[in-house]
Amino acid sequence: MSQPAPRGALWALLAGNFVIGTGVMVVPGTLNEISVSLDVSAATAGQLITAAAFVTCLGAPLLAAAVAGWDRRRLLALTMLWYAAWHAVSVFMPSFGALLPVRMLAVIAPAIFTPQAAACAGMLVPPEQRGRAVTFVFLGWSMASVLGLPIGALIGGHFGWRAAFLAISALSIVSAVSVWLTLPNGIRPAALTAAAWARVLRSPVLMGIVSITALQGAGQFVLFSYFGPILKQRFGANATALSLMWGWFGACGLLGNMVVSRVIDRAGAGRMVLATTGLIALSLALWPLADSLFWIAVVVSPWGLGCFSTNSAQQARLVGLAPALAPGSVALNSSGIYIGQAFGAALGGWLLARDAMHWMSWVGLALLLVAIVLSASIDRSRRPA
């Protein structure tokens, strides 16, 4: 790449992550509506999250290798068009069995877009600005939580989940155009050789960081996947109340990511991971004490602050440790995010189906504590990859 990309390109990548994040989170946001519309239990409907996360987990590293030589402008624009097409197809699915494979096809897009956008952002700026660029692009996920998720939940609650999916399809088309118009031609990260992939897979530090990501995702999604059904069952929350709760959670997420984006290059990515994971663990520890929607909102505030910013810090951590290996390590980290989500959603669904809702926060907390211990251990013994 001969010239740095204009700042507009970073904004387009941020906006793409906003649409990707909104599409990923639309299922938790409309889980009640999907459950009723397709006549399945909330635990069964939640397996849309598990299946989609599993596909994204496997797809991120495999597709990173398959598209290694593609121009990133073309790749990312086509990825958003793919997302648009399959969300539109989802609208016409008459049953859970029909929706499930379509959903699995749709989430091939997150498997490509998020890791490739992060790796791309790291190439668009000088080395000393990489951490901030990666976290800036990842702000799109925080914006999805503060705007996309609650609006999607509100649309789903009042007009049905199909309307929410159709809105995501439209936004994906807009995002594809934005990427095409702003991203420069000729952005082609060097394809990772088999030897480079081996370096990633054999690096205790890089794979340890990916493991932390998986533990974080699992710990959160045991409970996060079923916010809607839990709050409806425990407190009678309607669509508007749930939308407000998602909006508050997302506002905290946006604030947390903005703070981390500003301080990460000075404080260090490892410290940011510990701080943000600790915030999530605090909320899970306090969850059983909340006895109203107001106190739920208070309890989830630290979680919101840490939820998306910890993912940003993890991405920046990998890019900073081994920039040349970032296309592979960031793709594997995305796999870690989604395998954690798949495991957490499946475990949470299993607990929910067995009337063991009270165990969800404790199981999630245990997984988060393991992540904290592992992250601290890596920081103490970190060596260049």
Side-chain angles (χ1 to χ4, degrees):
M1 187 180 62
S2 58
Q3 296 292 331
R7 187 160 181 80
L10 293 178
W11 277 102
L13 296 177
L14 180 153
N17 268 331
F18 167 78
V19 178
I20 290 289
T22 301
V24 167
M25 292 185 288
V26 73
V27 171
T30 60
L31 201 62
N32 289 327
E33 290 71 35
I34 292 172
S35 173
V36 172
S37 172
L38 301 181
D39 194 26
V40 295
S41 69
T44 298
Q47 299 319 299
L48 287 170
I49 302 170
T50 299
F54 184 71
V55 168
T56 311
C57 163
L58 292 179
L62 294 176
L63 291 168
V67 303
W70 287 41
D71 178 87
R72 289 315 187 253
R73 178 190 184 210
R74 181 176 295 107
L75 171 66
L76 296 177
L78 288 174
T79 297
M80 296 310 301
L81 291 177
W82 175 278
Y83 210 39
W86 287 109
H87 273 94
V89 171
S90 299
V91 171
F92 301 99
M93 295 300 101
S95 67
F96 179 82
L99 179 61
L100 183 62
V102 172
R103 183 63 180 169
M104 293 171 74
L105 287 168
V107 297
I108 289 174
I112 296 174
F113 192 94
T114 297
Q116 295 305 322
C120 188
M123 295 180 62
L124 300 179
V125 296
E128 65 274 11
Q129 297 177 18
R130 282 181 181 139
R132 187 166 185 174
V134 172
T135 52
F136 176 80
V137 167
F138 215 83
L139 278 172
W141 274 84
S142 297
M143 292 174 66
S145 69
V146 72
L147 293 175
L149 174 56
I151 291 173
L154 193 63
I155 292 172
H158 290 284
F159 302 103
W161 65 269
R162 300 176 196 274
F165 276 55
L166 192 61
I168 292 164
S169 179
L171 286 174
S172 298
I173 294 172
V174 174
S175 176
V177 173
S178 175
V179 167
W180 184 260
L181 292 178
T182 60
L183 209 64
N185 283 318
I187 303 175
R188 288 185 173 90
L192 289 185
T193 63
W197 273 108
R199 285 183 62 198
V200 174
L201 294 171
R202 293 174 183 171
S203 168
V205 171
L206 297 182
M207 295 310 298
I209 292 171
V210 171
S211 299
I212 292 163
T213 297
L215 288 165
Q216 290 170 334
Q220 293 180 79
F221 268 72
V222 170
L223 185 59
F224 185 87
S225 303
Y226 303 98
F227 262 13
I230 289 170
L231 297 187
K232 182 179 180 180
Q233 180 179 331
R234 285 185 62 188
F235 306 112
N238 58 23
T240 301
L242 287 173
S243 179
L244 290 172
M245 186 67 69
W246 287 123
W248 173 249
F249 185 88
C252 292
L254 180 60
L255 176 61
N257 218 4
M258 290 174 64
V259 171
V260 168
S261 178
R262 288 182 176 275
V263 305
I264 190 169
D265 287 322
R266 296 193 304 272
R271 289 180 181 176
M272 289 296 96
V273 170
L274 283 175
T276 52
T277 309
L279 288 171
I280 301 167
L282 175 63
S283 286
L284 289 172
L286 295 176
W287 178 271
L289 302 179
D291 57 3
S292 68
L293 286 175
F294 171 79
W295 284 112
I296 288 288
V298 173
V299 164
V300 301
S301 298
W303 189 346
L305 290 169
C307 179
F308 299 97
S309 54
T310 200
N311 287 335
S312 300
Q314 285 284 84
Q315 303 276 23
R317 198 179 191 184
L318 290 166
V319 173
L321 280 172
L325 301 179
S329 64
V330 172
L332 286 174
N333 194 63
S334 292
S335 290
I337 292 172
Y338 291 110
I339 195 61
Q341 291 181 7
F343 179 77
L347 182 55
W350 185 84
L351 292 169
L352 187 64
R354 285 156 179 78
D355 295 322
M357 187 189 303
H358 59 283
W359 279 102
M360 287 180 166
S361 60
W362 296 119
V363 171
L365 176 61
L367 292 167
L368 264 294
L369 292 177
V370 175
I372 289 171
V373 171
L374 180 56
S375 187
S377 176
I378 286 175
D379 276 350
R380 283 196 300 269
S381 62
R382 191 178 70 191
R383 292 184 295 271

